[in-house]
Amino acid sequence: MTTSITMFPARNGDALLLTYDGAPQCSVLIDGGYKDTFDNHICPVLQAMAGRGACLDALVVTHIDADHITGILRLLELNGPFRSSNIIPIRLVLHNSFRNLPLDSDAEASFSKPDLELLHEIRSHGHRRPNEVDSEISASQGSTLASLLRAGDYNWNNGDGHESISSPNVIALPSNVTLTLLGPTITRLTALRDWWMAKIRRLGVAGMIGQMPLLEDVFEFMCENEPGIARLDKELASHANSTTVLQDIYEPDESVTNSSSISLLCETPNSRILLPGDCWAEDLESALSSGIDLAKPFDAIKISHHGSFHNTSPRLLRIIDSPRFFISTDGRKHGHPDIQVLKEIVDRPAEFERHLYFNYRTSASRFMASYSSKSGTPFIVHEEVDMPVLISG
């Protein structure tokens, strides 16, 4: 049996497809990059799968950020309703939106006319447009991920989408494939709620927060447009210094949206694949310490947050390892990945050869291609990877 991992070119974003060739085949898509990622790379693969009678057994949208969700918006817009899929049947969607946050009441929202005018103004700003490639995405009602899932009547979080998807939780898929939720916890979703409500109150919205499609749109647009940690030129130059190590520069992530990222362990009968999304390193450390077998390496690990030094701690790398690491970014935004993270991975002694898979050639991948491990453990750098990586068992 074989598990394949396809890491699509998603610019500075994420889009991975896991496929297990059991009987029946089981496939999981994690995030979708940007619109052009979907149109040029993901869509042809999904259409070919559907032509063979396959489906997406799970679509995982880790969190609300343009580099993760824009391609998923495109997929849902083109796919249409769940019961009459135009591209491929999608059996389950895992995603946390406004309706999945812990609220103090299930009551409907109640707003004054000025409140509603302000909320409509926020919604009118729409999705983030990183460049002209994604300019087609509408800011109109019905263009958000939440609204597309509702309109399409998808199986959202094993129901109608009102329940959160949080840890601890294990989701069974066909052919003995399981998704073990490592995060977010309800605590992190509550913190996301509090962060968003504080922002909206500061803008002047005074009414009662409750269930309301308009609020789902506003929440999604505000999360999507939330800036990440600013990286100054001086800081980037320091991190590019090949003599520094991860311990010298590691600082925990402080992004509340990243803390709400879905992180999971995908287990098939022949493989264990760690998929942390953009989660915080400390949260992943805590989750892995609860019942996860760390005595043997994972078969593959996707590096959190495109290899940022804020999301992979020295302590985390003392408890996880793998012969295969995946780094998804073109390096053009935020300076990811940080070479200190990559050096820390390969400098550790191991009884196996490591492989670093990059979906683009970057300055960091070029550096690593000529780098020698301090422990002498061999490793190979693979750049511009656009073919499935196979794990056989």
Side-chain angles (χ1 to χ4, degrees):
M1 297 295 185
T2 301
T3 301
S4 70
I5 304 175
T6 303
M7 181 169 54
F8 296 103
R11 291 190 266 157
N12 61 295
D14 270 0
L16 286 88
L17 177 68
L18 275 59
T19 300
Y20 173 65
D21 67 354
Q25 176 180 296
C26 183
S27 298
V28 180
L29 178 65
I30 302 99
D31 293 328
Y34 291 99
K35 173 181 172 291
D36 61 310
T37 310
F38 179 78
D39 287 343
N40 299 328
H41 304 284
I42 301 175
C43 188
V45 172
L46 297 185
Q47 288 174 325
M49 289 170 53
R52 299 191 299 268
C55 69
L56 275 181
D57 295 282
L59 169 62
V60 181
V61 187
T62 58
H63 63 299
I64 299 171
D65 203 349
D67 61 332
H68 295 259
I69 74 165
T70 314
I72 302 302
L73 291 168
R74 180 68 167 171
L75 165 59
L76 295 176
E77 287 173 345
L78 296 178
N79 204 44
F82 165 73
R83 301 188 186 281
S84 56
S85 306
N86 295 318
I87 297 175
I88 191 169
I90 302 173
R91 304 302 186 199
L92 172 65
V93 180
L94 302 179
H95 171 61
N96 286 315
S97 185
F98 172 76
R99 63 167 53 194
N100 310 115
L101 302 182
L103 295 178
D104 295 331
S105 171
D106 292 330
E108 294 291 326
S110 177
F111 295 108
S112 65
K113 183 178 178 180
D115 279 346
L116 290 172
E117 290 174 349
L118 179 55
L119 291 169
H120 281 287
E121 173 64 22
I122 296 171
R123 185 172 67 182
S124 71
H125 294 167
H127 294 284
R128 188 196 309 176
R129 291 176 173 82
N131 58 31
E132 293 180 359
V133 174
D134 293 315
S135 61
E136 292 180 23
I137 291 184
S138 169
S140 63
Q141 185 173 0
S143 68
T144 59
L145 185 55
S147 62
L148 289 166
L149 290 172
R150 284 198 321 270
D153 196 26
Y154 284 89
N155 176 6
W156 180 0
N157 293 355
N158 277 322
D160 62 2
H162 280 93
E163 297 298 322
S164 64
I165 187 71
S166 59
S167 63
N169 196 354
V170 178
I171 297 169
L173 299 178
S175 296
N176 295 316
V177 176
T178 60
L179 301 179
T180 299
L181 271 293
L182 303 174
T185 61
I186 290 294
T187 299
R188 291 298 182 219
L189 292 178
T190 301
L192 179 64
R193 175 204 67 189
D194 293 345
W195 165 84
W196 179 76
M197 290 182 68
K199 284 178 67 71
I200 205 167
R201 295 304 189 199
R202 285 197 298 271
L203 291 173
V205 176
M208 178 177 175
I209 303 294
Q211 297 299 334
M212 186 182 194
L214 174 60
L215 285 181
E216 292 185 344
D217 292 355
V218 170
F219 173 80
E220 188 167 316
F221 291 145
M222 290 178 68
C223 288
E224 186 181 335
N225 287 284
E226 179 66 14
I229 296 175
R231 307 188 74 178
L232 303 177
D233 289 342
K234 181 179 179 181
E235 180 187 17
L236 288 171
S238 172
H239 298 161
N241 185 337
S242 62
T243 62
T244 59
V245 296
L246 184 59
Q247 187 67 50
D248 295 335
I249 65 170
Y250 176 72
E251 295 176 1
D253 193 352
E254 296 179 349
S255 165
V256 179
T257 53
N258 283 349
S259 76
S260 70
S261 176
I262 294 175
S263 57
L264 52 87
L265 174 62
C266 180
E267 295 180 276
T268 76
N270 71 299
S271 64
R272 297 192 314 156
I273 301 169
L274 186 60
L275 301 158
D278 282 4
C279 78
W280 292 1
E282 292 73 21
D283 287 352
L284 188 57
E285 293 166 17
S286 177
L288 290 172
S289 66
S290 303
I292 304 297
D293 181 9
L294 300 176
K296 60 180 182 179
F298 296 98
D299 291 284
I301 296 174
K302 200 280 296 187
I303 294 296
S304 179
H305 201 195
H306 322 291
S308 169
F309 76 92
H310 291 294
N311 301 79
T312 299
S313 65
R315 182 176 184 274
L316 178 62
L317 289 180
R318 287 195 291 270
I319 63 175
I320 64 170
D321 206 349
S322 174
R324 304 170 187 87
F325 287 86
F326 290 77
I327 303 97
S328 176
T329 184
D330 61 6
R332 296 182 182 179
K333 189 174 184 181
H334 306 307
H336 297 151
D338 290 297
I339 60 174
Q340 289 78 10
V341 173
L342 304 176
K343 289 195 302 179
E344 191 84 6
I345 289 170
V346 303
D347 280 344
R348 300 169 297 166
E351 297 179 355
F352 48 83
E353 181 179 72
R354 295 189 183 94
H355 294 255
L356 304 183
Y357 295 96
F358 297 83
N359 54 355
Y360 292 91
R361 175 173 292 190
T362 67
S363 59
S365 69
R366 288 287 78 209
F367 175 88
M368 294 306 297
S370 59
Y371 182 73
S372 297
S373 165
K374 290 182 179 178
S375 68
T377 300
F379 69 94
I380 298 176
V381 172
H382 306 265
E383 298 172 300
E384 299 180 327
V385 175
D386 59 2
M387 297 295 290
V389 176
L390 304 181
I391 302 173
S392 299

